């Protein structure tokens, strides 16, 4: 999987090295620092990280020759330092159960697939899992979750298209509780085009879950698609507001040159990164490994 992650991120790092290679032919001066900062920002790492790396570089190497390797090592160290603070798998061990995870994100981000991957992961650890098809707007989303449920032999609580998502969530939590499930994962609609509607719906889902079980939902997991680059940052802002996101998963890191955006996402939001998606198969959800990620990103 790391190979795939690298081949995804490698594109951005080669873009980064291309940019850096032309910059490192003379002793480090202000112009070069500015260009290096621009190159780092262009690689989706975000302005805060770019500024810090540039400042460190200036402190260590001003007026001296720098190689692109010097810069890459700094990038890798800085990315690892920042991401180590946010790398944290979901903790589903606490009682009471079921541990309830509300999964939010725009359509197409990989929500349904991530839910199936999480279900598979917990199933392999001998947890009893239940799913709820809470995206009641899209028939395809309900169908897709049912297909995953069949494959995994996991119950999927669902209603017809247009059904009330909050009452579905309430029923699912009730059933999960009665059946002694350990984990309940609830899909939701991702209709950002109707922000107020989405906010009302998610607030209602959270309210009824809490009514059924004070500590639920335990997690509100935002699924982000790495290939959308800077759009992911806007999505964090919106979903933090409408859903009270507690953590992130980033999908499609296997197929993008824009993996650096995860750094910007973590820095900007301060949210933990619970998992990353590196492929379409059930086994392609990984705990986030800051060192491997930093090395792959820096190239
Ligand atoms: P949803 O609309 O948010 O529920 O998104 P889906 O789960 O249906 O995923 C949308 C598409 O992205 C599907 O074709 C998935 O197979 C694909 N996908 C999801 N996660 C990943 C990933 O980590 N890597 C790759 N390459 N594809 C993914």
């Amino acid at each position: 999987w790391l190979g795939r992650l690298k081949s995804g991120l490698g594109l951005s790092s080669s873009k980064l090295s291309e940019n850096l290679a032309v910059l490192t032919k003379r002793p480090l001066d202000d112009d070069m620092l500015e260009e290096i900062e621009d190159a780092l920002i262009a690689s989706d790492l975000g302005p805060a990280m770019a500024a810090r790396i540039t400042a460190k570089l200036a402190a260590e190497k001003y007026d001296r020759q720098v190689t692109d390797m010097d810069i890459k090592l700094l990038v890798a160290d800085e990315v690892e330092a920042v991401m180590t603070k946010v790398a944290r798998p979901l903790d589903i061990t606490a009682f009471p159960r079921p541990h309830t995870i509300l999964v939010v994100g725009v359509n197409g981000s990989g929500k349904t697939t991530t839910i199936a991957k999480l279900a598979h992961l917990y199933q392999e650890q001998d947890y009893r899992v239940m799913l709820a098809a809470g995206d009641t707007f899209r028939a395809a989303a309900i169908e897709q979750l049912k297909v995953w449920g069949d494959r995994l032999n996991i119950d999927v609580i669902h209603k017809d298209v247009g059904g009330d998502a909050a009452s579905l969530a309430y029923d699912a939590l009730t059933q999960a509780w009665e059946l002694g499930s350990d984990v309940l994962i609830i899909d939701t609609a991702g209709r950002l085009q109707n922000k107020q509607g989405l906010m009302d719906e998610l607030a209602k889902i959270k309210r009824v879950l809490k009514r059924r079980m004070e500590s639920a939902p335990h997690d509100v997991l935002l699924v982000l698609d790495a290939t959308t680059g800077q759009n992911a940052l806007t999505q964090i802002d919106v979903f933090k507001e409408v859903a009270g996101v507690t953590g992130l998963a980033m999908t499609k890191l296997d197929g993008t040159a824009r993996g650096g955006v995860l750094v910007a996402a973590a820095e900007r939001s301060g949210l933990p990164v619970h998992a990353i998606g590196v492929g379409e198969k059930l086994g392609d959800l990984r705990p986030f490994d800051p060192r491997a990620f930093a090395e792959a990103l820096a190239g």
Side-chain angles (χ1 to χ4, degrees):
W1 73 272
L2 200 57
R4 255 179 301 154
L5 174 62
K6 278 184 183 159
S7 70
L9 296 175
L11 285 172
S12 87
S13 63
S14 69
K15 190 170 99 195
L16 187 59
S17 8
E18 232 171 74
N19 290 343
L20 296 179
V22 291
L23 298 174
T24 51
K25 301 275 186 260
R26 52 182 208 266
L28 187 64
D29 59 23
D30 289 338
D31 284 349
M32 268 175 74
L33 281 168
E34 205 169 302
E35 287 171 56
I36 289 167
E37 188 166 353
D38 287 346
L40 292 169
I41 291 174
S43 73
D44 285 322
L45 283 174
M49 170 69 79
R52 270 207 315 278
I53 292 171
T54 317
K56 281 204 174 159
L57 197 63
E60 287 175 20
K61 298 274 183 186
Y62 200 80
D63 253 348
R64 292 164 55 194
Q65 198 80 32
V66 286
T67 64
D68 55 349
M69 191 47 80
D70 294 329
I71 302 174
K72 283 184 186 177
L73 285 175
L74 253 180
V75 171
D77 284 350
E78 199 60 31
V79 167
E80 184 184 5
V82 166
M83 299 311 278
T84 298
K85 285 186 232 146
V86 297
R88 198 184 316 146
L90 282 167
D91 179 4
I92 61 159
T93 55
F95 285 87
R97 288 180 180 160
H99 186 95
T100 304
I101 306 169
L102 196 63
V103 181
V104 301
V106 300
N107 295 338
S109 61
K111 269 197 313 276
T112 315
T113 314
T114 301
I115 290 169
K117 290 170 173 173
L118 274 175
H120 173 67
L121 177 77
Y122 295 139
Q123 207 176 28
E124 290 215 307
Q125 296 168 6
D126 285 334
Y127 288 111
R128 280 159 300 180
V129 184
M130 186 179 278
L131 302 179
D135 182 353
T136 51
F137 279 85
R138 292 189 302 163
I142 300 170
E143 270 321 302
Q144 205 192 337
L145 206 63
K146 279 161 70 180
V147 169
W148 281 118
D150 285 344
R151 266 185 69 181
L152 292 164
N153 201 16
I154 287 177
D155 287 336
V156 178
I157 309 305
H158 59 90
K159 275 187 163 61
D160 290 338
V161 180
D164 178 35
S167 85
L168 174 90
Y170 187 88
D171 290 351
L173 182 52
T174 303
Q175 288 193 48
W177 187 77
E178 283 171 3
L179 288 172
S181 302
D182 300 303
V183 190
L184 170 64
I185 310 176
I186 305 172
D187 195 7
T188 63
R191 301 166 303 130
L192 262 198
Q193 60 280 20
N194 179 359
K195 189 173 146 191
Q196 188 60 46
L198 183 63
M199 176 148 29
D200 293 346
E201 176 169 305
L202 291 169
K204 190 170 166 201
I205 292 174
K206 287 171 78 172
R207 213 162 48 236
V208 301
L209 288 174
K210 208 159 271 319
R211 199 179 302 146
R212 190 70 190 78
M213 183 180 183
E214 179 57 35
S215 52
H218 300 83
D219 292 287
V220 181
L221 178 68
L222 173 60
V223 177
L224 297 167
D225 174 345
T227 64
T228 64
Q230 299 295 306
N231 276 339
L233 303 180
T234 319
Q235 288 168 20
I236 292 179
D237 293 346
V238 174
F239 277 96
K240 266 181 114 171
E241 185 191 341
V242 303
V245 173
T246 59
L248 307 176
M250 184 161 271
T251 63
K252 309 184 197 178
L253 274 170
D254 52 309
T256 180
R258 317 199 66 178
V261 74
L262 184 54
V263 178
E267 285 229 283
R268 174 141 150 183
S269 69
L271 290 166
V273 177
H274 292 311
I276 57 171
V278 293
E280 295 184 88
K281 298 205 194 69
L282 281 174
D284 289 335
L285 190 75
R286 303 288 160 175
F288 179 66
D289 176 345
R291 184 70 218 165
F293 178 80
E295 282 176 359
L297 192 67

Coordinates of all heavy atoms in Angstrom, one line a residue, residues 106-114 117 138 144 187 251-255 277-280 284, ligand 1:
V106 N -19.2 15.1 1.5 CA -19.9 15.4 0.3 C -20.0 14.0 -0.5 O -19.2 13.1 -0.4 CB -19.3 16.4 -0.6 CG1 -19.2 17.8 0.1 CG2 -17.9 16.0 -1.1
N107 N -21.0 14.0 -1.4 CA -21.2 12.8 -2.2 C -20.0 12.6 -3.1 O -19.5 13.5 -3.7 CB -22.5 13.0 -3.1 CG -23.7 13.1 -2.3 OD1 -23.8 12.6 -1.2 ND2 -24.8 13.7 -2.9
G108 N -19.6 11.3 -3.2 CA -18.5 11.0 -4.0 C -17.1 11.0 -3.3 O -16.1 10.6 -3.8
S109 N -17.1 11.5 -2.0 CA -15.9 11.6 -1.3 C -15.3 10.2 -0.9 O -14.2 10.1 -0.6 CB -16.1 12.5 -0.1 OG -17.0 11.9 0.8
G110 N -16.2 9.2 -0.9 CA -15.8 7.9 -0.5 C -16.4 7.5 0.8 O -15.9 6.6 1.5
K111 N -17.5 8.1 1.2 CA -18.1 7.8 2.5 C -18.5 6.3 2.6 O -18.2 5.6 3.5 CB -19.4 8.6 2.6 CG -19.3 9.9 3.3 CD -20.6 10.5 3.8 CE -21.7 10.4 2.8 NZ -21.7 11.6 1.8
T112 N -19.3 5.9 1.6 CA -19.9 4.5 1.7 C -18.7 3.5 1.7 O -18.8 2.5 2.5 CB -20.8 4.3 0.5 OG1 -21.6 5.4 0.3 CG2 -21.6 3.1 0.7
T113 N -17.8 3.7 0.9 CA -16.6 2.8 0.8 C -15.9 2.8 2.1 O -15.5 1.7 2.6 CB -15.7 3.2 -0.3 OG1 -16.4 3.5 -1.5 CG2 -14.7 2.1 -0.6
T114 N -15.7 4.0 2.7 CA -15.0 4.1 4.0 C -15.8 3.4 5.1 O -15.2 2.7 6.0 CB -14.7 5.5 4.3 OG1 -13.9 6.1 3.3 CG2 -13.9 5.7 5.6
K117 N -15.2 -0.3 4.7 CA -13.8 -0.6 5.1 C -13.7 -0.6 6.6 O -13.1 -1.5 7.2 CB -12.8 0.4 4.6 CG -12.6 0.3 3.1 CD -11.8 1.5 2.6 CE -11.3 1.5 1.2 NZ -10.7 2.8 0.8
R138 N -30.5 9.4 -1.6 CA -29.9 8.8 -2.8 C -30.2 7.3 -2.8 O -29.7 6.5 -2.0 CB -28.4 9.0 -3.0 CG -28.1 10.4 -3.3 CD -26.6 10.5 -3.6 NE -25.7 10.0 -2.5 CZ -24.5 9.6 -2.6 NH1 -23.9 9.7 -3.8 NH2 -23.8 9.2 -1.6
Q144 N -25.9 0.7 -2.4 CA -24.5 0.4 -2.3 C -24.2 -0.1 -0.9 O -23.4 -1.0 -0.7 CB -23.7 1.7 -2.6 CG -22.3 1.4 -3.1 CD -21.5 2.7 -3.2 OE1 -22.0 3.8 -3.2 NE2 -20.2 2.5 -3.1
D187 N -24.3 6.2 7.9 CA -24.1 7.0 6.7 C -25.0 8.3 6.7 O -26.1 8.2 7.4 CB -24.4 6.2 5.4 CG -23.8 6.8 4.1 OD1 -23.1 7.8 4.2 OD2 -24.1 6.2 3.1
T251 N -9.6 9.9 1.8 CA -9.6 8.8 0.8 C -8.8 9.2 -0.4 O -8.4 10.3 -0.6 CB -11.1 8.5 0.3 OG1 -11.5 9.7 -0.3 CG2 -12.0 8.2 1.5
K252 N -8.6 8.2 -1.2 CA -8.0 8.3 -2.6 C -6.5 8.9 -2.5 O -6.1 9.5 -3.5 CB -8.9 9.2 -3.5 CG -10.3 8.6 -3.5 CD -11.2 9.3 -4.4 CE -12.7 9.1 -4.1 NZ -13.6 9.8 -4.9
L253 N -5.8 8.6 -1.4 CA -4.4 9.1 -1.4 C -3.6 8.2 -2.3 O -2.4 8.6 -2.6 CB -3.9 9.0 0.1 CG -4.2 10.2 0.9 CD1 -3.9 10.0 2.4 CD2 -3.4 11.4 0.4
D254 N -4.1 7.1 -2.8 CA -3.4 6.3 -3.8 C -3.4 6.9 -5.2 O -2.6 6.6 -6.0 CB -4.0 4.9 -3.9 CG -5.5 5.0 -4.1 OD1 -6.2 5.7 -3.4 OD2 -6.0 4.3 -5.0
G255 N -4.3 7.8 -5.4 CA -4.5 8.2 -6.8 C -4.4 9.7 -7.0 O -5.1 10.2 -7.9
G277 N -7.5 6.3 3.1 CA -7.9 5.4 2.1 C -6.9 5.3 1.0 O -6.5 6.3 0.5
V278 N -6.4 4.1 0.7 CA -5.4 4.0 -0.3 C -5.8 3.0 -1.4 O -4.9 2.3 -2.0 CB -4.0 3.6 0.3 CG1 -3.5 4.7 1.2 CG2 -4.1 2.3 1.1
G279 N -7.1 2.9 -1.7 CA -7.6 2.0 -2.7 C -9.0 1.7 -2.5 O -9.7 2.2 -1.6
E280 N -9.6 1.0 -3.5 CA -11.0 0.7 -3.4 C -11.5 -0.5 -2.7 O -12.6 -0.8 -2.5 CB -11.6 0.7 -4.9 CG -11.4 2.0 -5.6 CD -12.0 1.9 -7.0 OE1 -13.2 2.2 -7.1 OE2 -11.3 1.6 -8.0
D284 N -8.2 -1.6 2.1 CA -7.4 -0.4 1.7 C -7.6 0.8 2.6 O -7.5 1.9 2.2 CB -7.7 0.0 0.3 CG -7.1 -1.0 -0.7 OD1 -6.1 -1.7 -0.3 OD2 -7.6 -1.1 -1.8
Ligands
LIG1 P1 -19.8 8.4 -1.4 O1 -20.7 9.0 -2.5 O2 -19.1 9.5 -0.6 O3 -20.5 7.4 -0.6 O4 -18.6 7.7 -2.2 P2 -18.3 6.2 -2.5 O5 -17.9 5.5 -1.3 O6 -19.4 5.7 -3.4 O7 -16.9 6.4 -3.4 C1 -16.9 7.1 -4.6 C2 -15.8 6.4 -5.5 O8 -14.5 6.5 -4.9 C3 -16.1 4.9 -5.7 O9 -15.8 4.5 -7.0 C4 -15.0 4.3 -4.7 O10 -14.6 3.0 -5.1 C5 -13.9 5.3 -4.8 N1 -13.0 5.3 -3.6 C6 -13.4 5.4 -2.3 N2 -12.3 5.4 -1.5 C7 -11.2 5.3 -2.3 C8 -9.8 5.2 -2.1 O11 -9.2 5.3 -1.0 N3 -9.0 5.1 -3.2 C9 -9.5 5.0 -4.5 N4 -8.7 4.9 -5.5 N5 -10.8 5.1 -4.7 C10 -11.7 5.2 -3.7

